[in-house]
Amino acid sequence: MKNRLKLLRVERGWTQGQLGEALGVSRQAVNALETEKHDPSLDLAFRIAVLFARPVEEIFDNPHA
């Protein structure tokens, strides 16, 4: 799924490891999301949205729209 996760992370000056720590996931999980190898669970998508204080739709593109 297309997303803006890397852009948001870099804007904050965070490493993948730091973002993973903040979300309770591994650095590898963050890398898989950023490279679009895996889609986030609904729970993780909402945790990311809350962390960046943005709507889910602003971070992740709807592939069905």
Side-chain angles (χ1 to χ4, degrees):
M1 174 183 310
K2 295 260 183 212
N3 66 73
R4 293 165 186 78
L5 189 56
K6 182 175 181 177
L7 175 67
L8 293 170
R9 175 180 62 78
V10 171
E11 283 177 356
R12 296 240 176 141
W14 293 346
T15 65
Q16 288 181 339
Q18 289 170 317
L19 177 56
E21 220 175 281
L23 294 170
V25 300
S26 68
R27 180 202 62 78
Q28 293 87 347
V30 171
N31 181 268
L33 292 170
E34 287 185 355
T35 58
E36 301 169 9
K37 291 180 182 171
H38 293 286
D39 293 338
S41 65
L42 187 56
D43 177 67
L44 182 55
F46 278 111
R47 284 189 282 146
I48 291 167
V50 168
L51 181 65
F52 288 106
R54 295 176 187 242
V56 171
E57 299 86 358
E58 194 174 303
I59 300 170
F60 299 97
D61 291 341
N62 181 349
H64 305 288

